[in-house]
Amino acid sequence: MMIRKVPDVVFQTTSTRGVLTTSELFDNKKILAFSLPGAFTPICSKHQLPRFEEMYQSFRKIGIDEVYCI
């Protein structure tokens, strides 16, 4: 597992929370962040992303606070 400190930046989100900083999302938390090679394609939507959703509780059990798909 790689542990990295995320640089502090401000960005616009698609959530109702609007503008956020990386500190608000990541500080003092264990985060699993991943990306998909073909977001919104049938392979990603039907096979890859659902597996992360299925494993969410397993991630929580090992101490992951949040799971983010980038």
Side-chain angles (χ1 to χ4, degrees):
M1 177 188 323
M2 290 192 320
I3 298 175
R4 300 276 192 249
K5 172 74 173 137
V6 177
D8 194 24
V9 296
V10 176
F11 57 96
Q12 181 69 38
T13 71
T14 57
S15 76
T16 57
R17 293 166 57 183
V19 175
L20 294 172
T21 67
T22 51
S23 293
E24 291 174 282
L25 292 173
F26 299 110
D27 281 2
N28 302 313
K29 296 179 189 170
K30 290 183 181 175
I31 306 294
L32 184 141
F34 68 97
S35 64
L36 299 171
F40 307 107
T41 63
I43 294 294
C44 286
S45 298
K46 292 180 183 174
H47 300 286
Q48 294 170 329
L49 185 59
R51 185 67 179 136
F52 281 94
E53 291 173 333
E54 291 168 10
M55 295 187 65
Y56 178 76
Q57 290 304 323
S58 296
F59 296 139
R60 297 284 294 165
K61 286 179 185 175
I62 63 168
I64 301 297
D65 296 309
E66 302 284 347
V67 178
Y68 297 137
C69 179
I70 301 170

